[in-house]
Amino acid sequence: MFSKSLMSLRKPAVRLRQCLIAVAGAKGQQWKHTESSFPRQEEQYAEQQRRNRRAGHMSELVRDFLAPADFHRALVDVGIDFFCGVPDSLLKDFCAYITASVAESHHVIAANEGSAVALAAGYHLATGRTPLVYLQNSGLGNAANPLLSLASPDVYSFPMLLLIGWRGEPGKRDEPQHMVQGQATPRLLDAMGIPSEPLPDYIAGAERALHTALRHMRTVQGPYALLVKRQAFSPHALELEPAFDSPLSREAALQLLADGLHDRDVLVSTTGMASRELFEYRVAREQGHERDFLTVGSMGHASSIALGIALQKPARQVVCLDGDGALLMHMGSLAIVGQRQPRNFKHVVLNNGAHDSVGGQPTAAADPASLDIAQVALACGYRQNKADLMQFLATD
């Protein structure tokens, strides 16, 4: 039920620059595939700097960007020097700077957003200082319980600054699941009693926002949120050595898996690059999508979706295509799969040791010596661990 053949994958050298737009339909998910005409973020940034120079004294035409180093310095100046959270594409430049510049004792990439809030609470208990928790707004669901039942001023009163990537910001084009979340984000925070404001994209404004947040957290002894809009930060590249050395890229492994399935097999793919690349591969091969469920949101829940299908369709093989970051987010699901042991369920994990779709920050699975996903699965009750992918798919 578990494949180790895809445990050591390096990031592919070439990214397909395409975007997916999900459209809700009466007969289930439909997908429109379009070529992206947008340049990379670094190219957009360079072009905007040229426009800024042409604007000259007309400051109303200048587009500002907040340098991650400047924002980090501003945070340290107000006494915030501990960081934890789950990486996000809108925060990737700030996260890259933190990953490269902050000591491991003061930066933890958490398994999920709720765990990050709990980490922050523990830090405050130990030091009396205010931590920063970073997350994408889709992670507010994971964080809601500890924010309300732990950090709330009406419970234990833990001040913490929430830095939230505002995917699906109203008025901006985004994927449907983010559009839903983006519209709801301010209302969710308001319902939880957490005041929020957008983070300004220039340092003087960011400093004022920090002082507003500090006044609230000192007075109320509870969380305060800063919402980060698209391209608020200037680019900052994360330079890490590949976690694994393998001749097989993620794209190649995915294609090998897709080609090895039978006509009646069901494939549930995890959020992020795996679902995007699976969709692109089906289009390139002029194949249909009716056997695939692309889990565009709900990070960490692909295996539970696949289990739900497998239990109700015992005559069909159901394959879950997972990622290391997604699996770690809700790793308890392994125990439920292991408990039920459906013979038609197979779990393939693409482990490149990175949150690849949101900036490449390392996961806890980046060091196989400290975390062996295959052994964890076997300990949870998974029956098999095949070294060869095709043999694995053919096994009953």
Side-chain angles (χ1 to χ4, degrees), residues 137-158:
N137 54 346
S138 61
L140 276 173
N142 287 331
N145 180 25
L147 283 172
L148 291 172
S149 64
L150 181 67
S152 170
D154 295 326
V155 186
Y156 280 111
S157 297
F158 290 137

PDB file of all heavy atoms in Angstrom, residues 137-158:
ATOM      1  N   ASN A 137      -4.150  32.363   4.000  1.00  0.00           N
ATOM      2  CA  ASN A 137      -5.490  32.478   4.577  1.00  0.00           C
ATOM      3  C   ASN A 137      -6.272  31.167   4.522  1.00  0.00           C
ATOM      4  O   ASN A 137      -7.156  30.938   5.343  1.00  0.00           O
ATOM      5  CB  ASN A 137      -6.287  33.610   3.925  1.00  0.00           C
ATOM      6  CG  ASN A 137      -6.356  33.507   2.411  1.00  0.00           C
ATOM      7  OD1 ASN A 137      -5.620  32.741   1.775  1.00  0.00           O
ATOM      8  ND2 ASN A 137      -7.223  34.288   1.808  1.00  0.00           N
ATOM      9  N   SER A 138      -5.952  30.277   3.599  1.00  0.00           N
ATOM     10  CA  SER A 138      -6.619  28.971   3.583  1.00  0.00           C
ATOM     11  C   SER A 138      -6.294  28.161   4.825  1.00  0.00           C
ATOM     12  O   SER A 138      -7.021  27.226   5.168  1.00  0.00           O
ATOM     13  CB  SER A 138      -6.219  28.185   2.329  1.00  0.00           C
ATOM     14  OG  SER A 138      -4.821  27.956   2.314  1.00  0.00           O
ATOM     15  N   GLY A 139      -5.204  28.504   5.514  1.00  0.00           N
ATOM     16  CA  GLY A 139      -4.837  27.807   6.745  1.00  0.00           C
ATOM     17  C   GLY A 139      -5.554  28.306   7.977  1.00  0.00           C
ATOM     18  O   GLY A 139      -5.345  27.772   9.076  1.00  0.00           O
ATOM     19  N   LEU A 140      -6.401  29.329   7.815  1.00  0.00           N
ATOM     20  CA  LEU A 140      -7.143  29.817   8.975  1.00  0.00           C
ATOM     21  C   LEU A 140      -8.044  28.727   9.565  1.00  0.00           C
ATOM     22  O   LEU A 140      -8.309  28.713  10.765  1.00  0.00           O
ATOM     23  CB  LEU A 140      -7.994  31.033   8.594  1.00  0.00           C
ATOM     24  CG  LEU A 140      -7.288  32.385   8.616  1.00  0.00           C
ATOM     25  CD1 LEU A 140      -8.188  33.472   8.055  1.00  0.00           C
ATOM     26  CD2 LEU A 140      -6.846  32.737  10.038  1.00  0.00           C
ATOM     27  N   GLY A 141      -8.522  27.827   8.698  1.00  0.00           N
ATOM     28  CA  GLY A 141      -9.347  26.730   9.206  1.00  0.00           C
ATOM     29  C   GLY A 141      -8.584  25.856  10.185  1.00  0.00           C
ATOM     30  O   GLY A 141      -9.115  25.454  11.231  1.00  0.00           O
ATOM     31  N   ASN A 142      -7.323  25.539   9.863  1.00  0.00           N
ATOM     32  CA  ASN A 142      -6.498  24.749  10.775  1.00  0.00           C
ATOM     33  C   ASN A 142      -6.185  25.509  12.055  1.00  0.00           C
ATOM     34  O   ASN A 142      -6.016  24.915  13.124  1.00  0.00           O
ATOM     35  CB  ASN A 142      -5.177  24.362  10.099  1.00  0.00           C
ATOM     36  CG  ASN A 142      -5.352  23.299   9.038  1.00  0.00           C
ATOM     37  OD1 ASN A 142      -6.251  22.479   9.108  1.00  0.00           O
ATOM     38  ND2 ASN A 142      -4.482  23.311   8.044  1.00  0.00           N
ATOM     39  N   ALA A 143      -6.069  26.841  11.943  1.00  0.00           N
ATOM     40  CA  ALA A 143      -5.649  27.655  13.085  1.00  0.00           C
ATOM     41  C   ALA A 143      -6.804  28.080  13.981  1.00  0.00           C
ATOM     42  O   ALA A 143      -6.586  28.523  15.112  1.00  0.00           O
ATOM     43  CB  ALA A 143      -4.908  28.902  12.585  1.00  0.00           C
ATOM     44  N   ALA A 144      -8.052  27.958  13.487  1.00  0.00           N
ATOM     45  CA  ALA A 144      -9.194  28.524  14.214  1.00  0.00           C
ATOM     46  C   ALA A 144      -9.324  27.960  15.625  1.00  0.00           C
ATOM     47  O   ALA A 144      -9.564  28.719  16.579  1.00  0.00           O
ATOM     48  CB  ALA A 144     -10.485  28.283  13.426  1.00  0.00           C
ATOM     49  N   ASN A 145      -9.173  26.647  15.767  1.00  0.00           N
ATOM     50  CA  ASN A 145      -9.372  26.058  17.095  1.00  0.00           C
ATOM     51  C   ASN A 145      -8.382  26.616  18.115  1.00  0.00           C
ATOM     52  O   ASN A 145      -8.798  27.140  19.157  1.00  0.00           O
ATOM     53  CB  ASN A 145      -9.294  24.534  17.008  1.00  0.00           C
ATOM     54  CG  ASN A 145      -9.503  23.868  18.345  1.00  0.00           C
ATOM     55  OD1 ASN A 145     -10.128  24.425  19.235  1.00  0.00           O
ATOM     56  ND2 ASN A 145      -8.973  22.667  18.501  1.00  0.00           N
ATOM     57  N   PRO A 146      -7.063  26.549  17.906  1.00  0.00           N
ATOM     58  CA  PRO A 146      -6.161  27.106  18.917  1.00  0.00           C
ATOM     59  C   PRO A 146      -6.244  28.626  19.043  1.00  0.00           C
ATOM     60  O   PRO A 146      -5.989  29.164  20.124  1.00  0.00           O
ATOM     61  CB  PRO A 146      -4.773  26.657  18.445  1.00  0.00           C
ATOM     62  CG  PRO A 146      -4.927  26.320  17.015  1.00  0.00           C
ATOM     63  CD  PRO A 146      -6.330  25.846  16.835  1.00  0.00           C
ATOM     64  N   LEU A 147      -6.600  29.326  17.956  1.00  0.00           N
ATOM     65  CA  LEU A 147      -6.767  30.772  18.086  1.00  0.00           C
ATOM     66  C   LEU A 147      -7.915  31.106  19.034  1.00  0.00           C
ATOM     67  O   LEU A 147      -7.830  32.059  19.825  1.00  0.00           O
ATOM     68  CB  LEU A 147      -7.016  31.405  16.710  1.00  0.00           C
ATOM     69  CG  LEU A 147      -5.798  31.565  15.803  1.00  0.00           C
ATOM     70  CD1 LEU A 147      -6.237  32.030  14.414  1.00  0.00           C
ATOM     71  CD2 LEU A 147      -4.788  32.553  16.399  1.00  0.00           C
ATOM     72  N   LEU A 148      -9.007  30.325  18.958  1.00  0.00           N
ATOM     73  CA  LEU A 148     -10.182  30.610  19.775  1.00  0.00           C
ATOM     74  C   LEU A 148     -10.112  29.967  21.159  1.00  0.00           C
ATOM     75  O   LEU A 148     -10.534  30.575  22.148  1.00  0.00           O
ATOM     76  CB  LEU A 148     -11.446  30.133  19.054  1.00  0.00           C
ATOM     77  CG  LEU A 148     -11.827  30.912  17.799  1.00  0.00           C
ATOM     78  CD1 LEU A 148     -12.972  30.221  17.072  1.00  0.00           C
ATOM     79  CD2 LEU A 148     -12.207  32.345  18.150  1.00  0.00           C
ATOM     80  N   SER A 149      -9.602  28.745  21.241  1.00  0.00           N
ATOM     81  CA  SER A 149      -9.645  28.022  22.517  1.00  0.00           C
ATOM     82  C   SER A 149      -8.335  28.066  23.290  1.00  0.00           C
ATOM     83  O   SER A 149      -8.253  27.531  24.399  1.00  0.00           O
ATOM     84  CB  SER A 149     -10.028  26.555  22.272  1.00  0.00           C
ATOM     85  OG  SER A 149      -9.040  25.893  21.511  1.00  0.00           O
ATOM     86  N   LEU A 150      -7.315  28.730  22.732  1.00  0.00           N
ATOM     87  CA  LEU A 150      -6.022  28.814  23.400  1.00  0.00           C
ATOM     88  C   LEU A 150      -5.533  30.259  23.495  1.00  0.00           C
ATOM     89  O   LEU A 150      -5.298  30.787  24.580  1.00  0.00           O
ATOM     90  CB  LEU A 150      -4.993  27.961  22.646  1.00  0.00           C
ATOM     91  CG  LEU A 150      -3.573  27.902  23.212  1.00  0.00           C
ATOM     92  CD1 LEU A 150      -3.569  27.163  24.549  1.00  0.00           C
ATOM     93  CD2 LEU A 150      -2.633  27.217  22.221  1.00  0.00           C
ATOM     94  N   ALA A 151      -5.431  30.928  22.339  1.00  0.00           N
ATOM     95  CA  ALA A 151      -4.812  32.257  22.310  1.00  0.00           C
ATOM     96  C   ALA A 151      -5.762  33.390  22.659  1.00  0.00           C
ATOM     97  O   ALA A 151      -5.322  34.498  22.977  1.00  0.00           O
ATOM     98  CB  ALA A 151      -4.216  32.502  20.918  1.00  0.00           C
ATOM     99  N   SER A 152      -7.050  33.149  22.604  1.00  0.00           N
ATOM    100  CA  SER A 152      -8.047  34.209  22.804  1.00  0.00           C
ATOM    101  C   SER A 152      -7.860  34.934  24.136  1.00  0.00           C
ATOM    102  O   SER A 152      -7.522  34.311  25.158  1.00  0.00           O
ATOM    103  CB  SER A 152      -9.457  33.609  22.757  1.00  0.00           C
ATOM    104  OG  SER A 152     -10.424  34.561  23.177  1.00  0.00           O
ATOM    105  N   PRO A 153      -8.095  36.261  24.165  1.00  0.00           N
ATOM    106  CA  PRO A 153      -8.032  37.007  25.434  1.00  0.00           C
ATOM    107  C   PRO A 153      -8.995  36.485  26.483  1.00  0.00           C
ATOM    108  O   PRO A 153      -8.794  36.699  27.689  1.00  0.00           O
ATOM    109  CB  PRO A 153      -8.385  38.435  25.014  1.00  0.00           C
ATOM    110  CG  PRO A 153      -8.062  38.512  23.563  1.00  0.00           C
ATOM    111  CD  PRO A 153      -8.356  37.153  23.016  1.00  0.00           C
ATOM    112  N   ASP A 154     -10.058  35.788  26.052  1.00  0.00           N
ATOM    113  CA  ASP A 154     -11.024  35.239  26.989  1.00  0.00           C
ATOM    114  C   ASP A 154     -10.636  33.859  27.503  1.00  0.00           C
ATOM    115  O   ASP A 154     -11.374  33.256  28.313  1.00  0.00           O
ATOM    116  CB  ASP A 154     -12.414  35.167  26.341  1.00  0.00           C
ATOM    117  CG  ASP A 154     -12.977  36.541  26.029  1.00  0.00           C
ATOM    118  OD1 ASP A 154     -12.703  37.474  26.802  1.00  0.00           O
ATOM    119  OD2 ASP A 154     -13.657  36.678  24.990  1.00  0.00           O
ATOM    120  N   VAL A 155      -9.503  33.340  27.019  1.00  0.00           N
ATOM    121  CA  VAL A 155      -9.062  32.020  27.467  1.00  0.00           C
ATOM    122  C   VAL A 155      -7.691  32.163  28.132  1.00  0.00           C
ATOM    123  O   VAL A 155      -7.588  32.439  29.317  1.00  0.00           O
ATOM    124  CB  VAL A 155      -9.038  30.996  26.305  1.00  0.00           C
ATOM    125  CG1 VAL A 155      -8.726  29.587  26.830  1.00  0.00           C
ATOM    126  CG2 VAL A 155     -10.382  30.979  25.587  1.00  0.00           C
ATOM    127  N   TYR A 156      -6.591  32.026  27.374  1.00  0.00           N
ATOM    128  CA  TYR A 156      -5.258  32.132  27.965  1.00  0.00           C
ATOM    129  C   TYR A 156      -4.526  33.436  27.632  1.00  0.00           C
ATOM    130  O   TYR A 156      -3.449  33.683  28.158  1.00  0.00           O
ATOM    131  CB  TYR A 156      -4.385  30.945  27.528  1.00  0.00           C
ATOM    132  CG  TYR A 156      -4.651  29.688  28.306  1.00  0.00           C
ATOM    133  CD1 TYR A 156      -5.253  28.601  27.709  1.00  0.00           C
ATOM    134  CD2 TYR A 156      -4.298  29.594  29.652  1.00  0.00           C
ATOM    135  CE1 TYR A 156      -5.499  27.439  28.427  1.00  0.00           C
ATOM    136  CE2 TYR A 156      -4.539  28.438  30.373  1.00  0.00           C
ATOM    137  CZ  TYR A 156      -5.139  27.361  29.759  1.00  0.00           C
ATOM    138  OH  TYR A 156      -5.383  26.220  30.476  1.00  0.00           O
ATOM    139  N   SER A 157      -5.079  34.232  26.722  1.00  0.00           N
ATOM    140  CA  SER A 157      -4.513  35.558  26.416  1.00  0.00           C
ATOM    141  C   SER A 157      -3.065  35.480  25.924  1.00  0.00           C
ATOM    142  O   SER A 157      -2.129  35.899  26.607  1.00  0.00           O
ATOM    143  CB  SER A 157      -4.582  36.478  27.646  1.00  0.00           C
ATOM    144  OG  SER A 157      -5.909  36.725  28.028  1.00  0.00           O
ATOM    145  N   PHE A 158      -2.897  34.928  24.709  1.00  0.00           N
ATOM    146  CA  PHE A 158      -1.567  34.861  24.106  1.00  0.00           C
ATOM    147  C   PHE A 158      -1.465  35.874  22.969  1.00  0.00           C
ATOM    148  O   PHE A 158      -2.091  35.695  21.918  1.00  0.00           O
ATOM    149  CB  PHE A 158      -1.285  33.461  23.551  1.00  0.00           C
ATOM    150  CG  PHE A 158      -1.104  32.415  24.604  1.00  0.00           C
ATOM    151  CD1 PHE A 158      -1.683  31.174  24.476  1.00  0.00           C
ATOM    152  CD2 PHE A 158      -0.350  32.679  25.735  1.00  0.00           C
ATOM    153  CE1 PHE A 158      -1.510  30.196  25.445  1.00  0.00           C
ATOM    154  CE2 PHE A 158      -0.174  31.717  26.722  1.00  0.00           C
ATOM    155  CZ  PHE A 158      -0.758  30.466  26.584  1.00  0.00           C
TER     156      PHE A 158
END
